[in-house]
């Protein structure tokens, strides 16, 4: 189901069961732990103009419903503050299933094959990372707010790295 | 081929007519084999004259190609409360394949008397999301997008893009004007609906018509003190709107273009009147 809440920078495609509290970070029916997320979870990155990305989202929605794709997230508008000129779509899946997911994307017009692991992304957004600092610069946060954001990033991301056997819990964006 | 063929289909009798049908299991299995979606597979099957069992009671009211058109279409429902909730439910059950369901509000206790998707345990939940989830729970090929926003002149075009038809489930006259303008710009028919107490009305505006919503509302303002709203009146108006939408999406002529149908719930009568361009009235 495409879920579009204009208060969020992102538009999502979730299986409806996610709204009942089910996780989408699963492999062969089993919910992934933090350690497994760091080892296997990632996303195909698709770049494009918003109308094309919207059309792609509609084409991918039934595949999310059929649980062939776990989750999709895409930009409402390009993140120009991060130097990106096009909308970015992230098509999440387990690395062990990424080839099957890529076939769906390729059948719907995706060409650039770019895979990013969740571990890389989390490292980019850890406290003190250049990307997090740049994002806070672009938002004009003062030092108090910056400290709060760093603390939040430490709490959320730190837990993933420090408790590998705990079930992974995604957070709202 | 992404379809269940007539040779694989099962013949059933529906109201005396023989209808070829495919079960959900057949459709799902063929979709998996061919890499198509269930919706694409159902459309492909209908184009070969094979109906999904869950839609077979729509035959022979629609032909199989007409039902395929319904299943290929996207309807946008503006508002997911009283009218919008019934509209979404009826469109999904009739087999309209894709729905864009728009509402920025959450359910509260005052909605329980008339809003189809409002239950005690859904109070506080997003109307658009609840409507989308309920619609997707009917047929496996329904694709519903939930858009949590209040429609305004600034966002209507963006939110409604891609819709083949736009249905009015709103409770605000200015918002209706914004949505009607957007529908016109998108080249999509707009089916107005409104309910007042025991009664309600609907009107169809096709793209290109010189008659617009100002023929119904000369002043684009809300009434200062809206009257109560009764569920049966809401259901009647939504049913009329939905029947019209199904006709148009199936490729049939609109029954009610440039006309206002007024349902008087106290006398159980329907009045139909021709609309004139706002400037043409004396």
């Amino acid at each position: 189901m495409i879920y579009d809440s204009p208060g969020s920078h992102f538009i999502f495609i979730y299986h409806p069961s996610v709204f009942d509290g089910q996780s989408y970070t699963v492999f062969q029916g089993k919910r992934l732990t933090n350690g497994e997320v760091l080892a296997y979870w990632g996303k195909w990155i698709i770049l494009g103009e918003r109308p094309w990305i919207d059309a792609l989202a509609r084409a991918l929605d039934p595949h999310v419903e059929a649980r062939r794709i776990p989750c999709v997230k895409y930009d409402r508008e390009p993140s120009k503050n991060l130097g990106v000129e096009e909308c970015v779509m992230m098509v999440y899946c387990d690395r062990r299933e990424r080839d099957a997911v890529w076939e769906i994307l390729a059948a719907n017009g995706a060409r650039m094959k770019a895979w990013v692991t969740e571990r890389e992304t989390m490292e980019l957004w850890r406290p003190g990372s250049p990307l997090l600092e740049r994002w806070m610069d672009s938002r004009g946060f003062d030092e108090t707010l910056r400290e709060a954001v760093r603390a939040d990033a430490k709490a959320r991301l730190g837990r993933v790295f420090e408790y590998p056997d705990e079930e992974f819990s995604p957070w709202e964006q | 081929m992404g379809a269940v063929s007539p040779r694989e289909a099962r013949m059933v009798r529906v109201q005396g007519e023989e209808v070829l049908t495919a079960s959900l299991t057949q459709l799902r299995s063929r979709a998996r084999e061919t890499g198509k979606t269930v919706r694409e597979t159902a459309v492909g099957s209908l184009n070969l004259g094979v109906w999904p069992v869950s839609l077979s009671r729509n035959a022979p009211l629609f032909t199989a190609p007409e039902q395929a058109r319904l299943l290929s279409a996207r309807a946008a429902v503006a508002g997911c409360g009283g009218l919008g909730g019934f509209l979404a439910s009826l469109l999904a059950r009739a087999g309209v394949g894709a729905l864009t369901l728009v509402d920025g509000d959450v359910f509260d206790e005052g909605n329980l008397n008339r809003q189809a998707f409002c239950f005690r345990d859904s109070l506080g939940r997003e109307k658009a999301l609840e409507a989308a989830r309920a619609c997707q729970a009917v047929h496996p090929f329904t694709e519903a997008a939930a858009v949590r926003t209040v429609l305004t002149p600034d966002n209507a075009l963006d939110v409604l893009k891609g819709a083949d038809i736009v249905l009015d489930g709103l409770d605000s006259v200015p918002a209706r004007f914004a949505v009607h303008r957007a529908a016109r710009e998108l080249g999509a028919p707009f089916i107005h609906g409104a309910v007042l107490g025991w009664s309600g009305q609907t009107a169809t505006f096709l793209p290109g018509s010189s008659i617009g919503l100002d023929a119904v509302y000369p002043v684009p303002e809300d009434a200062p003190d809206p009257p109560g709203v009764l569920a049966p009146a809401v259901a009647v108006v939504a049913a009329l709107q939905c029947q019209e939408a199904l006709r148009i999406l199936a490729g049939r002529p609109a029954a009610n273009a440039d006309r206002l149908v007024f349902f008087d719930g106290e006398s159980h009568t329907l009045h139909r009147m021709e609309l004139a361009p706002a400037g043409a009235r004396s």
Side-chain angles (χ1 to χ4, degrees):
Chain A
M1 175 192 300
I2 297 175
Y3 178 67
D4 179 351
S5 180
S8 167
H9 172 74
F10 299 110
I11 298 170
F12 298 88
I13 313 178
Y14 290 126
H15 189 276
S17 62
V18 168
F19 298 105
D20 293 325
Q22 283 191 28
S23 177
Y24 55 81
T25 49
V26 291
F27 178 68
Q28 295 183 343
K30 185 183 159 292
R31 197 167 165 169
L32 299 183
T33 62
N34 288 333
E36 287 168 327
V37 163
L38 292 173
Y40 299 117
W41 199 249
K43 60 226 174 191
W44 291 111
I45 304 287
I46 314 282
L47 290 163
E49 301 293 332
R50 175 73 194 275
W52 183 75
I53 292 279
D54 276 334
L56 179 60
R58 285 179 182 160
L60 297 182
D61 182 25
H63 296 283
V64 175
E65 293 294 320
R67 298 185 191 273
R68 288 189 282 265
I69 296 175
C71 173
V72 178
K73 165 174 118 175
Y74 65 99
D75 288 337
R76 183 176 304 285
E77 53 194 43
S79 295
K80 292 192 173 162
N81 55 340
L82 296 175
V84 186
E85 294 297 323
E86 293 175 293
C87 288
V88 180
M89 173 183 271
M90 286 159 266
V91 181
Y92 290 88
C93 64
D94 190 295
R95 195 180 71 198
R96 293 163 287 188
E97 293 173 328
R98 69 178 180 178
D99 291 340
V101 171
W102 175 257
E103 277 182 31
I104 296 169
L105 296 175
N108 285 285
R111 292 291 170 265
M112 185 189 74
K113 211 170 173 184
W115 172 259
V116 177
T117 66
E118 204 59 2
R119 172 185 278 275
E120 282 175 79
T121 306
M122 288 185 189
E123 282 171 349
L124 283 171
W125 288 95
R126 283 183 100 171
S129 68
L131 196 57
L132 183 62
E133 295 301 317
R134 200 164 122 203
W135 177 74
M136 290 191 291
D137 289 345
S138 75
R139 303 294 291 259
F141 288 177
D142 62 21
E143 196 46 42
T144 313
L145 197 49
R146 293 172 86 98
E147 271 311 308
V149 170
R150 287 184 197 117
D152 184 57
K154 186 165 191 278
R156 290 172 191 274
L157 300 177
R159 190 152 195 99
V160 178
F161 287 91
E162 287 158 23
Y163 298 89
D165 296 329
E166 203 171 78
E167 277 189 346
F168 176 73
S169 296
W171 46 87
E172 276 190 38
Q173 298 178 61
Chain B
M1 183 177 55
V4 175
S5 73
R7 286 175 65 179
E8 301 165 289
R10 182 164 168 254
M11 180 74 79
V12 297
R13 282 198 160 270
V14 178
Q15 294 156 349
E17 298 278 333
E18 289 185 335
V19 179
L20 289 169
T21 62
S23 68
L24 175 54
T25 309
Q26 280 178 298
L27 290 168
R28 277 200 170 129
S29 152
R30 184 54 38 85
R32 232 183 347 261
E33 288 161 17
T34 57
K36 302 271 183 194
T37 66
V38 180
R39 182 177 167 213
E40 288 167 337
T41 309
V43 170
S45 305
L46 278 162
N47 284 329
L48 298 175
V50 177
W51 288 73
V53 172
S54 66
L55 291 173
S56 59
R57 292 300 292 266
N58 286 4
L61 305 170
F62 287 116
T63 64
E66 284 177 328
Q67 183 69 60
R69 280 199 280 277
L70 292 178
L71 207 46
S72 304
R74 175 171 291 276
V77 180
C80 298
L83 275 176
F86 281 107
L87 285 169
S89 171
L90 294 169
L91 292 166
R93 289 205 182 269
V96 174
L99 300 169
T100 300
L101 306 173
V102 191
D103 202 306
D105 202 1
V106 296
F107 287 117
D108 66 42
E109 276 185 66
N111 302 147
L112 282 164
N113 77 321
R114 69 195 183 283
Q115 301 200 4
F117 300 127
C118 181
F119 301 95
R120 289 195 311 279
D121 63 1
S122 57
L123 299 180
R125 293 199 196 147
E126 297 171 26
K127 293 183 180 183
L129 183 55
E130 292 305 300
R133 294 178 67 188
C135 290
Q136 292 203 160
V138 179
H139 299 295
F141 31 72
T142 307
E143 295 166 20
V147 185
R148 188 192 177 181
T149 193
V150 176
L151 282 159
T152 66
D154 292 335
N155 69 10
L157 198 58
D158 188 41
V159 169
L160 300 172
K161 67 176 181 276
D164 299 303
I165 198 163
V166 178
L167 292 102
D168 173 7
L170 297 163
D171 58 3
S172 146
V173 175
R176 284 192 175 109
F177 273 83
V179 169
H180 182 209
R181 266 195 299 275
R184 268 204 166 143
E185 204 158 324
L186 293 166
F190 173 73
I191 305 186
H192 160 63
V195 184
L196 309 105
W198 287 85
S199 302
Q201 64 191 31
T202 174
T204 302
F205 301 99
L206 298 178
S209 169
S210 60
I211 296 175
L213 203 53
D214 52 1
V216 180
Y217 298 100
V219 182
E221 287 173 5
D222 287 322
D225 191 14
V229 184
L230 214 54
V234 177
V236 168
V237 173
L240 293 170
Q241 287 178 274
C242 183
Q243 295 229 95
E244 179 76 325
L246 295 178
R247 289 183 61 83
I248 295 170
L249 291 175
R252 296 185 188 185
N256 201 30
D258 296 337
R259 295 192 181 103
L260 181 79
V261 170
F262 181 79
F263 164 67
D264 179 345
E266 304 222 47
S267 63
H268 284 207
T269 49
L270 281 176
H271 307 273
R272 190 158 84 154
M273 54 204 98
E274 301 283 335
L275 291 169
R281 280 193 300 268
S282 55

